[in-house]
């Protein structure tokens, strides 16, 4: 059977680790052939190309710049991508009959591609809902509520939901949000299909290794290191991250910020202006260096903007659970990631912007060594039970078997 996977994420190899590549490898392990359509942005100065290896073909389609660029080009690129993808698919995959179309949000602008393949091949369309757009842009005041752009994107969102045979949501709160705000959608076509990976248990690092990595990055050996790794953008509510580093005066705590994104210059400016002794900023690292760094830290940080009305569920949680780090999350009140963390006793949650609650949570998470060790193991068990890629695969595969 053949799977067509449409994504805005840049995929160079099926061997990469991540929520999409791990899932696609699970399909391969279950005798599927995989066809990936992924963007190569114009800033990379490369033409559309096709990579073939065993049971995988990766079609890298030349697009406009769509990641980490200005909002105008991002908007144009997001609107144009379905035409660019459709043209490339017709050229390179014209003789392939697809059984399943798998795609994620963002973007919400794949409707023409999905409609074409569904009609041509009678394929099953499964949406992995990772982002609820355009409401997230309204929450962040990037577009005006009920304005022209908002109404246009709402129509595209509704069309995408209509075309999808099944909508897989990241969490129960995600699912309930979709059903509440889209009353025309049948409840039977919406299910919880969370972010998932193939967990690999990391061996306990030696003290020599920990010392060498901390020394390499000038991180104190004798402090509890809170790491924030990943995108530094508006959705993350960076202001509260900066405020947290400013107000936490505990001498045993050190903050490590690693990543890139549209808010990186703001974070860099804060570091240059404040020259904090309890924090360090590092730019984007390759995966091995980043994983080595995370493995010698003590607590993982998750931040989301306080204005979100949609229930985001950052996949960053999975990497922390895999590394057996207790998690401290500061988010809006609509996401259920905090409930998941606290109900499974693998960390703490505070409402974004609540300085007093953050100070209490920081003190709690570093003051009880035994509790921290329990949280590490609880997080690892949660990852294997709820966020294993086999669970996501079985949900999707069952839909195909039932057709």
């Amino acid at each position: 059977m053949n799977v067509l996977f449409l994504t805005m994420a840049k995929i160079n190899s099926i061997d990469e680790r991540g929520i999409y590549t791990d899932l696609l490898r699970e399909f391969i392990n279950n005798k599927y052939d995989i066809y990936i359509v992924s963007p190569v942005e114009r800033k990379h100065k490369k033409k559309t190309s096709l990579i073939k290896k065993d049971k995988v073909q990766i079609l890298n389609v030349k697009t406009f710049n769509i990641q980490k660029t200005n909002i105008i080009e991002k908007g144009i690129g997001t609107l144009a991508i379905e035409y660019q993808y459709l043209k490339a698919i017709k050229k390179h995959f014209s003789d392939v009959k697809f059984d399943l179309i798998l795609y994620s949000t963002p973007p919400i602008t794949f409707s023409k591609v999905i409609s074409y393949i569904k009609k041509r091949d009678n394929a099953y369309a499964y949406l992995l809902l990772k982002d609820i757009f355009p409401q997230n842009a309204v929450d962040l005041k990037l577009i005006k509520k009920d304005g022209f752009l908002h109404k246009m994107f709402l129509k595209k969102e509704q069309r995408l939901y209509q075309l999808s045979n099944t909508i897989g949501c990241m969490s129960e709160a995600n699912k309930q949000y979709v059903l509440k705000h889209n009353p025309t959608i049948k409840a039977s076509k919406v299910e919880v299909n969370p972010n998932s990976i193939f967990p690999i248990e990391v061996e306990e690092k030696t003290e020599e290794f920990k010392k060498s990595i901390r020394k390499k990055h000038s991180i104190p050996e004798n402090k509890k290191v809170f790491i924030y790794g990943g995108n530094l953008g508006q959705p993350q509510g960076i202001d509260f991250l900066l405020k947290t580093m400013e107000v936490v005066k505990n001498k045993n705590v050190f903050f490590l910020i690693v990543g890139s994104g549209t808010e990186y210059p703001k974070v860099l400016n804060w570091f240059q202006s404040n020259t904090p002794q309890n924090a360090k900023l590092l730019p984007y690292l390759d995966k091995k260096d980043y994983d080595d760094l995370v493995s010698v830290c003590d607590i993982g940080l998750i931040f989301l903007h306080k204005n979100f009305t949609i229930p985001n569920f950052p996949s960053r949680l999975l990497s922390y659970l895999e590394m057996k780090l207790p998690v401290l999350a500061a988010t809006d009140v609509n996401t259920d990631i905090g409930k998941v963390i606290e109900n499974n006793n693998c960390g703490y949650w505070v409402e974004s912007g609540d300085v007093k609650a953050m100070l209490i949570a920081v003190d709690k998470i570093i003051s009880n060594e035994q509790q921290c060790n329990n949280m590490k193991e609880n997080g690892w068990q949660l990852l294997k039970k709820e966020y294993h890629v086999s669970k996501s695969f079985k949900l999707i595969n069952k839909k195909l078997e039932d057709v």
Side-chain angles (χ1 to χ4, degrees), residues 224 226 298-300 317-329 338-349 360-384:
K224 294 289 186 182
F226 289 67
D298 300 291
I299 295 100
L317 172 67
L318 308 189
S319 61
Y320 292 153
L321 298 183
E322 186 175 48
M323 289 291 182
K324 296 187 178 179
L325 294 188
V327 182
L328 176 54
K339 290 180 181 177
V340 169
I341 291 168
E342 294 205 327
N343 289 347
N344 290 278
N345 193 25
C346 55
Y348 295 108
W349 171 83
I360 292 171
V362 169
D363 285 340
K364 280 202 306 187
I365 209 165
I366 67 169
S367 62
N368 190 329
E369 195 69 30
Q370 184 57 51
Q371 173 76 337
C372 257
N373 289 333
N374 291 341
M375 286 178 171
K376 293 177 183 180
E377 185 58 31
N378 292 339
W380 172 246
Q381 295 303 325
L382 172 65
L383 177 65
K384 290 192 296 180

Side-chain angles (χ1 to χ4, degrees), residues 146-300:
D146 297 326
F148 170 76
L149 283 176
H150 184 214
K151 289 179 179 178
M152 179 188 69
F153 282 122
L154 271 178
K155 287 181 180 179
K156 289 186 176 293
E157 178 190 34
Q158 289 161 5
R159 175 61 175 157
L160 185 71
Y161 292 171
Q162 179 188 25
L163 277 170
S164 302
N165 295 102
T166 299
I167 301 171
C169 299
M170 294 184 290
S171 69
E172 184 61 32
N174 253 241
K175 175 183 172 180
Q176 296 306 322
Y177 182 95
V178 169
L179 292 173
K180 179 181 178 181
H181 291 85
N182 299 274
T184 60
I185 295 178
K186 293 181 179 178
S188 59
K189 74 181 289 184
V190 185
E191 65 183 12
V192 176
N193 190 339
N195 296 324
S196 60
I197 59 172
F198 184 86
I200 298 176
E201 188 163 13
V202 179
E203 291 183 8
E204 179 68 27
K205 303 299 182 183
T206 64
E207 287 304 314
E208 290 76 15
F209 178 84
K210 293 178 182 179
K211 287 180 180 179
S212 68
I213 296 297
R214 288 201 178 193
K215 183 178 181 181
K216 176 182 177 181
H217 295 287
S218 301
I219 301 167
E221 288 184 19
N222 58 345
K223 294 189 177 184
K224 294 289 186 182
V225 179
F226 289 67
I227 184 168
Y228 175 91
N231 189 40
L232 294 166
Q234 281 186 281
Q236 284 68 47
I238 296 304
D239 286 344
F240 191 54
L241 170 60
L242 300 180
K243 186 67 175 178
T244 296
M245 291 188 290
E246 179 185 319
V247 299
V248 174
K249 303 299 183 183
N250 191 310
K251 293 180 180 180
N252 294 320
V253 171
F254 189 85
F255 292 97
L256 182 61
I257 314 302
V258 187
S260 60
T262 56
E263 297 290 276
Y264 183 86
K266 182 177 187 177
V267 179
L268 178 60
N269 181 64
W270 184 89
F271 270 84
Q272 292 173 338
S273 300
N274 291 273
T275 58
Q277 300 302 302
N278 69 331
K280 185 178 181 66
L281 174 65
L282 292 174
Y284 175 84
L285 298 173
D286 66 42
K287 182 155 179 61
K288 184 184 183 307
D289 285 342
Y290 176 72
D291 286 348
D292 284 345
L293 191 56
V294 176
S295 72
V296 302
C297 294
D298 300 291
I299 295 100

Side-chain angles (χ1 to χ4, degrees), residues 89-105:
I89 288 168
K90 286 180 177 180
K91 179 180 179 180
H92 294 277
F93 297 153
S94 61
D95 58 344
V96 183
K97 183 181 184 298
F98 294 108
D99 302 283
L100 169 67
I101 319 165
L102 195 61
Y103 45 98
S104 63
T105 55

